[in-house]
Amino acid sequence: MQSQGWTKLLFATLLAVISGNKCCMGVDVVLAGNSKNSGEQHKANIKYATDSQPGYQFYQSSQFQASNFDLERSPLLNFNSAANILISQSNPETKPDTESLPQSPTPPSNPPLSNEPPQLEAQPREFPQSSPTIIEELLNKPTVNRTEQLERLRRILQLRQKPKPQTDNLRELELRVRQRPLPQQQPTSNANSLRELELRVRPRPVPQTKPPVAKFKPIGSLQANVGYFQTNNIFASEFFPREDGLIFYGLSLASAYFPLGAKTYINGSINGNLIRYIDQSRFNYNQINFNVGIYQQLSPRMYAELDFNNQQFFYAKSVGRFQAGDRFLDENSVRVSLGRRDPINSRLNLDSFYEFSANFSEPNNRSRLINNFWLSLSYALQEPLQVGINYQLTLADFTQRQRNDNYHRLFVHVIYRVSNSSNLNVQSGFSFGDSTDRNINFDNWFLSVYYNLRIGEF
């Protein structure tokens, strides 16, 4: 009997040891699978965070090291934790005790932006001109001034109404008759009823016409502009698109188009604008622009321009290592453009435009060659109101790095001339394109409103 008792006790001990080993093996298998999934998830999270911010990458790496340390200690987990895991897998309705399991951090939904200068591709770097019909006025400019034409017509009418002069010195004759008593003398038979006639001739001046008053011809003007720009990808970012708006306002000092020849003009301008973000105010910046252009009318419908332009951008606030007032972009460009206007009827016009520009920037990674094509079909509804549809294609080749952009814009515009010195320009549409830089995405919609006012002329 005693030997049978020892035999049963030994058999129970062996059975308990075998069951414990199988249970531990099952726990190790489960923990190994979880550690593999957790490791893959950590790798994805680290890849996600690397594109967003170096600080977050350090945080992610530290969390990943802590998680690996916990997983290495996983065989030392108590039996209750392992049992809870097995129970949760066999019975999904039972919630396991996961307090001892490592928790992987969730990637930020709104990652912080770096302190580098913002991308400006999707933003309006050049604002519409205050007088959108200046080219039209030059194309339709008559060969003779209207005042001179009216003066010439008035002289012709005066010559037709006057009789042809007999001599070079035209005088007006005046005949005046009055009675005058004759001196007393011997009467004659034939002089009893005679009266003396006195004939006087004196010149009468011809009324002189007033010379036409010379019209004031300004040599320059001071203009003000204010506008708003809204888009769903303000920084043209592929991974973290942000919807934001820009408010910009500034002044422009522009000269008139001075004639260099019969069909050649020159003008210049200085523009200054303050650009403010609605949400991302840390990236507020200021812009100043210098431009000198030569305009050449090739035909009644075609023109060409040669422009020399300089743009400079400055931080408005201190951002990271940049201080307020620091310049983050200086760009010099030479532009050659060719434009044409084809009137379809009295109200409908088709404008076509091509421009090639060579941009030399500091820093030099922004230097590029740009080809720009533009088509516009505009219709004049009434005298002050014009609507139209536009297509624009921009091809940019960066010269100092491996990057090529192709950028399309399709939008409609409404131009309302409020007065002779102010107008309102509204544009809305969408853009799309591609870039060899994987961080750039041009797909977005936009809405812009511009108001321009000519303050005065001098």
Side-chain angles (χ1 to χ4, degrees), residues 37-88:
N37 296 333
S38 177
E40 293 177 355
Q41 184 177 4
H42 284 301
K43 290 180 181 179
N45 293 337
I46 292 175
K47 183 179 179 181
Y48 176 85
T50 303
D51 297 332
S52 62
Q53 185 70 12
Y56 183 77
Q57 181 179 2
F58 175 76
Y59 170 76
Q60 185 80 5
S61 300
S62 62
Q63 291 293 329
F64 181 69
Q65 294 174 0
S67 300
N68 289 338
F69 179 76
D70 291 338
L71 290 178
E72 291 175 359
R73 295 173 55 247
S74 60
L76 301 178
L77 293 176
N78 54 27
F79 184 78
N80 293 331
S81 299
N84 289 334
I85 295 175
L86 294 176
I87 293 174
S88 63

Side-chain angles (χ1 to χ4, degrees), residues 188-438:
T188 59
S189 58
N190 295 327
N192 293 331
S193 60
L194 291 181
R195 301 283 185 181
E196 181 182 0
L197 297 179
E198 179 182 9
L199 183 63
R200 287 187 175 184
V201 178
R202 70 176 182 180
R204 184 178 180 182
V206 179
Q208 297 180 358
T209 59
K210 295 181 179 181
V213 179
K215 186 179 179 181
F216 172 69
K217 295 182 179 180
I219 62 174
S221 62
L222 179 63
Q223 303 159 4
N225 65 82
V226 62
Y228 176 76
F229 179 80
Q230 178 75 28
T231 181
N232 63 337
N233 194 356
I234 194 67
F235 297 123
S237 176
E238 172 67 24
F239 301 103
F240 308 113
R242 293 174 180 268
E243 182 174 354
D244 202 354
L246 291 175
I247 296 178
F248 55 89
Y249 47 92
L251 295 175
S252 174
L253 185 63
S255 69
Y257 279 77
F258 297 105
L260 298 178
K263 297 181 179 180
T264 307
Y265 303 86
I266 185 173
N267 79 314
S269 63
I270 302 175
N271 306 316
N273 294 282
L274 307 179
I275 293 90
R276 300 294 180 261
Y277 291 87
I278 299 297
D279 296 330
Q280 304 298 325
S281 60
R282 59 183 296 190
F283 296 116
N284 292 344
Y285 62 93
N286 304 324
Q287 176 197 24
I288 187 171
N289 186 308
F290 303 91
N291 185 80
V292 176
I294 299 176
Y295 171 90
Q296 175 66 42
Q297 184 175 343
L298 303 177
S299 70
R301 295 182 181 178
M302 291 187 63
Y303 63 92
E305 283 187 290
L306 175 63
D307 294 329
F308 302 92
N309 185 273
N310 173 261
Q311 289 189 98
Q312 300 183 31
F313 299 84
F314 304 87
Y315 277 109
K317 292 185 177 182
S318 298
V319 180
R321 66 178 185 273
F322 299 99
Q323 301 296 322
D326 289 350
R327 184 178 62 191
F328 66 88
L329 180 60
D330 183 11
E331 185 176 79
N332 297 283
S333 61
V334 180
R335 306 174 185 176
V336 180
S337 59
L338 181 66
R340 179 181 176 88
R341 166 163 290 186
D342 295 302
I344 300 176
N345 55 39
S346 59
R347 292 179 176 268
L348 190 63
N349 292 317
L350 176 63
D351 291 292
S352 55
F353 181 83
Y354 167 75
E355 180 185 74
F356 171 79
S357 65
N359 300 268
F360 309 95
S361 303
E362 180 61 36
N364 58 5
N365 61 355
R366 299 289 304 171
S367 299
R368 62 201 186 278
L369 303 177
I370 301 177
N371 290 276
N372 189 11
F373 303 89
W374 176 65
L375 289 175
S376 177
L377 184 64
S378 58
Y379 182 78
L381 292 177
Q382 297 178 356
E383 179 64 24
L385 184 62
Q386 180 189 102
V387 298
I389 184 171
N390 305 264
Y391 170 74
Q392 182 179 359
L393 170 63
T394 301
L395 303 176
D397 181 12
F398 287 76
T399 58
Q400 301 299 322
R401 55 173 169 160
Q402 296 296 328
R403 176 179 170 182
N404 295 311
D405 297 344
N406 60 83
Y407 180 71
H408 307 261
R409 295 179 71 216
L410 184 62
F411 61 97
V412 296
H413 76 263
V414 178
I415 300 177
Y416 181 75
R417 186 174 292 275
V418 182
S419 64
N420 293 331
S421 60
S422 63
N423 63 79
L424 183 67
N425 190 337
V426 180
Q427 299 178 359
S428 180
F430 60 93
S431 63
F432 56 95
D434 192 14
S435 175
T436 56
D437 188 345
R438 65 186 184 90

Side-chain angles (χ1 to χ4, degrees), residues 119-132:
Q119 293 289 338
L120 304 178
E121 276 75 5
Q123 303 177 18
R125 301 181 61 184
E126 296 181 1
F127 309 107
Q129 299 295 325
S130 59
S131 180

